[in-house]
Amino acid sequence: MALWGGRFESKTDDSVFALSRSVQFDWRLAPYDLVSSIAHVRVLKSGKLIDAKTAAKLDRALKELLKEVKSGVFKPNASDEDVHSALERGLIEKLGELGGSIRAGRSRNDQVATDFRLYLLDHMLEIALQVTKLSKAILAKSSEYVDAVAPGFTHLQHAQPVSFGHELAKHSCALERDLGRIKDWYERSNLSPLGAGALAGSSLPISPERTARDLGFDGVVRNSIDAVSDRDFAVEALFVLALIGVHVSRIGEEWTIWCTSEFGWAKLDDAYATGSSIMPQKKNPDVAELARGKSGPLIGNLTSLLTTMKAMPFAYNRDLQEDKEVVFNSIENLLTLLPALTGMVASTNFDRKRMAKSAPEGFSLATEIADYLVRKGIPFSKAHEAAGKCVKLAEKSGVQLHELSATQLKSAHEQLDEGVRKFLDVKGAIASRDSVNGTAPKSVARQIRALGDSLKRDAKWISNESKRFSGMMSQ
Ligand code: ARG
């Protein structure tokens, strides 16, 4: 159903209708459009723009429509342009001309900005919930492997041995920041554009503060021109989603490497692996690979909306319709990926023996020699050189550092005595790094506890905020 046409003499060309139509994707906004219409009816009534009887009829019909949209009984048809026109058709089908009275005091410009904010606020909470589940699974695995030892890497080369729990828990640190970003974003974005009308506000006695309150917003967007033109909330959400995408891509990359037969550290559960159509022996880490791959569209979607917004004139322009598909794509990609990734993490088993065997390889304990000399008062530059000599000697004689003879140690530095040997042991080296953020198992256990506490606080916040939407949707 067209929402305009009074001043036109000929009908829109089919190609133009096809180009401007958005209902095939913006139908996702239907429930949010209906709850904001329910709030709008209340202000129309309190402003005496409709009488109590009309308001009750509209309210009932909108609530019925909400149920029918949720159950799929009411759907858009081929002649509906966008979600707003489809729902107005639904209302008119129920109430006749009376259905059209809801349009007073608002425009599709403030309506779409409101619907889209509500959609995103609701869905970012869903994303946050999935992120907490992933982080919880990571922390459970970290606890399981706090005492397991593995080589830690820089430049993908053995660097220093670490607790494998420490290696895993670092991912939860990144996810903790992502949750913080969602919270910040939520607080900044939770303002209502409704009442801005086309761009200049409304002369009718409708109260934007009241609809804002009704819909659970913290307040009203201060400037009506900004209210209909601003898409910062969507750009910022896309950034947060892209960064989550980057974080999970790094998890995906690690898992993929750990599953290779060269590493052989990780063993995937059959439920979270896939086979090959030609090579019967294959067990592929597709979940991890998709976690890596999805960062592509997630970053692309952010770039896409930034580009759309660049140099956009004020206030509403139809270009703004391009804001939605990228957001839906990022949200839906992550909501599909995160549960699978969480399942993969929770069901992976790691080969402790294999990781432990490779932990001292690559002379990863060389820093311990330097630190030993530093503790004896040798300047680090000298200590570093001596440790380097030890590596050269070990490499030449084909032995590990702890297998160097007393004479060899002495030849590297005169103060390098037998005392160093107890540090040339992986477990000892790991246990000695017991600073708050260090890799010693007792430090790691403390880090895991703190991450778990912060996760609990985030989960509580998510559950409180989500009540707003479950309440609104079950009117
Ligand atoms: N489908 C449109 C969008 O998503 C709704 C707003 C249309 N406003 C207008 N002035 N044509 O942006």
Side-chain angles (χ1 to χ4, degrees), residues 165-180:
H166 196 209
E167 189 75 89
L168 291 171
K170 77 198 170 201
H171 291 302
S172 281
C173 296
L175 298 176
E176 182 188 37
R177 291 190 294 276
D178 289 330
L179 288 166

Side-chain angles (χ1 to χ4, degrees), residues 22 25-37 82-84 87 106-125 185-186 189-194 215 217 221 226-239 241 301-302 304-306 308-309 312 316-332 468-469 472-473:
S22 58
F25 53 83
D26 70 15
W27 188 240
R28 291 168 178 82
L29 301 181
Y32 306 97
D33 196 82
L34 288 165
V35 296
S36 87
S37 288
D82 61 14
V83 59
H84 321 290
L87 291 173
R106 82 178 176 182
S107 145
R108 276 191 293 167
N109 298 354
D110 59 344
Q111 212 178 333
V112 75
T114 307
D115 297 357
F116 198 28
R117 279 200 197 224
L118 288 172
Y119 164 90
L120 253 179
L121 290 162
D122 191 9
H123 282 77
M124 288 296 271
L125 291 176
W185 169 88
Y186 191 97
S189 307
N190 194 21
L191 294 173
S192 173
L194 208 58
L215 293 169
F217 285 111
V221 177
D226 178 52
V228 293
S229 327
D230 164 47
R231 293 294 183 273
D232 286 6
F233 66 94
V235 172
E236 247 190 290
L238 285 175
F239 167 70
L241 298 171
N301 290 336
L302 167 64
S304 165
L305 187 55
L306 280 170
T308 300
M309 295 309 294
M312 167 95 60
Y316 181 85
N317 301 278
R318 198 56 177 262
D319 321 30
L320 283 174
Q321 187 166 287
E322 294 298 321
D323 61 356
K324 286 176 221 42
E325 279 171 292
V326 284
V327 165
F328 298 148
N329 181 274
S330 286
I331 292 277
E332 287 164 23
R468 162 188 182 187
F469 291 96
M472 225 152 61
M473 291 303 165

Side-chain angles (χ1 to χ4, degrees), residues 46-250:
S46 59
K48 305 211 173 358
L49 295 166
I50 53 174
D51 59 31
K53 234 168 101 193
T54 309
K57 278 190 190 157
L58 284 167
D59 184 70
R60 206 173 319 116
L62 286 166
K63 286 176 180 163
E64 254 174 51
L65 214 46
L66 182 59
K67 286 201 178 69
E68 291 168 10
V69 164
K70 281 196 289 185
S71 65
V73 170
F74 184 80
K75 287 196 196 78
N77 69 25
S79 60
D80 292 323
E81 180 190 329
D82 61 14
V83 59
H84 321 290
S85 48
L87 291 173
E88 189 165 321
R89 171 178 62 78
L91 205 55
I92 289 172
E93 279 167 13
K94 286 188 190 298
L95 300 174
E97 271 311 302
L98 198 68
S101 49
I102 197 174
R103 269 215 242 153
R106 82 178 176 182
S107 145
R108 276 191 293 167
N109 298 354
D110 59 344
Q111 212 178 333
V112 75
T114 307
D115 297 357
F116 198 28
R117 279 200 197 224
L118 288 172
Y119 164 90
L120 253 179
L121 290 162
D122 191 9
H123 282 77
M124 288 296 271
L125 291 176
E126 181 60 28
I127 295 279
L129 181 66
Q130 294 304 328
V131 171
T132 61
K133 290 187 179 172
L134 173 60
S135 188
K136 216 169 150 192
I138 290 170
L139 289 181
K141 272 289 140 191
S142 310
S143 302
E144 204 181 322
Y145 290 93
V146 168
D147 293 316
V149 304
F153 298 85
T154 64
H155 308 268
L156 263 188
Q157 307 285 325
H158 284 208
Q160 291 174 337
V162 293
S163 139
F164 191 60
H166 196 209
E167 189 75 89
L168 291 171
K170 77 198 170 201
H171 291 302
S172 281
C173 296
L175 298 176
E176 182 188 37
R177 291 190 294 276
D178 289 330
L179 288 166
R181 265 183 282 272
I182 293 180
K183 249 159 120 175
D184 292 349
W185 169 88
Y186 191 97
E187 275 157 24
R188 191 164 31 258
S189 307
N190 194 21
L191 294 173
S192 173
L194 208 58
L199 78 161
S202 178
S203 62
L204 299 174
I206 54 163
S207 157
E209 295 92 329
R210 169 132 191 227
T211 35
R213 226 179 306 119
D214 258 17
L215 293 169
F217 285 111
D218 290 334
V220 178
V221 177
R222 216 188 306 278
N223 175 315
S224 63
I225 304 176
D226 178 52
V228 293
S229 327
D230 164 47
R231 293 294 183 273
D232 286 6
F233 66 94
V235 172
E236 247 190 290
L238 285 175
F239 167 70
V240 174
L241 298 171
L243 192 51
I244 295 174
V246 167
H247 290 151
V248 300
S249 80
R250 298 179 79 179

Side-chain angles (χ1 to χ4, degrees), residues 242-446:
L243 192 51
I244 295 174
V246 167
H247 290 151
V248 300
S249 80
R250 298 179 79 179
I251 299 179
E253 170 65 355
E254 275 192 340
W255 245 258
T256 309
I257 292 184
W258 294 343
C259 284
T260 58
S261 38
E262 283 71 19
F263 263 79
W265 291 8
K267 197 166 177 304
L268 294 181
D269 188 278
D270 281 358
Y272 291 93
T274 46
S276 155
S277 54
I278 177 162
M279 298 165 282
Q281 85 284 8
K282 293 279 272 180
K283 186 168 169 185
N284 293 329
D286 287 24
V287 175
E289 290 166 33
L290 283 166
R292 208 170 50 185
K294 293 234 181 250
S295 54
L298 288 163
I299 295 166
N301 290 336
L302 167 64
T303 313
S304 165
L305 187 55
L306 280 170
T307 314
T308 300
M309 295 309 294
K310 178 186 170 293
M312 167 95 60
F314 290 81
Y316 181 85
N317 301 278
R318 198 56 177 262
D319 321 30
L320 283 174
Q321 187 166 287
E322 294 298 321
D323 61 356
K324 286 176 221 42
E325 279 171 292
V326 284
V327 165
F328 298 148
N329 181 274
S330 286
I331 292 277
E332 287 164 23
N333 257 326
L334 273 180
L335 288 181
T336 318
L337 170 65
L338 290 170
L341 192 63
T342 302
M344 181 198 78
V345 167
S347 61
T348 303
N349 281 312
F350 293 94
D351 188 334
R352 291 168 191 267
K353 280 208 186 107
R354 235 182 126 97
M355 294 191 295
K357 190 170 165 286
S358 66
E361 286 169 9
F363 309 111
S364 64
L365 293 167
T367 322
E368 309 308 319
I369 298 180
D371 286 354
Y372 179 74
L373 288 173
V374 166
R375 265 182 244 119
K376 287 186 156 230
I378 314 294
F380 189 77
S381 50
K382 287 265 175 280
H384 184 279
E385 203 180 301
K389 276 191 195 150
C390 291
V391 170
K392 195 151 75 182
L393 285 169
E395 208 165 31
K396 270 203 186 132
S397 1
V399 296
Q400 294 291 330
L401 289 171
H402 68 274
E403 292 165 333
L404 287 171
S405 69
T407 346
Q408 282 175 313
L409 289 173
K410 269 265 174 316
S411 75
H413 194 284
E414 53 180 16
Q415 299 229 41
L416 207 48
D417 49 33
E418 287 299 307
V420 76
R421 293 202 191 277
K422 78 166 195 279
F423 295 98
L424 295 181
D425 151 73
V426 168
K427 286 229 173 210
I430 291 179
S432 72
R433 300 192 184 275
D434 58 357
S435 53
V436 275
N437 49 8
T439 202
K442 68 173 198 289
S443 303
V444 177
R446 236 181 290 123

Side-chain angles (χ1 to χ4, degrees), residues 11-21:
K11 155 182 178 307
T12 316
D13 192 79
D14 287 350
S15 65
V16 176
F17 181 71
L19 170 68
S20 49
R21 192 165 184 261

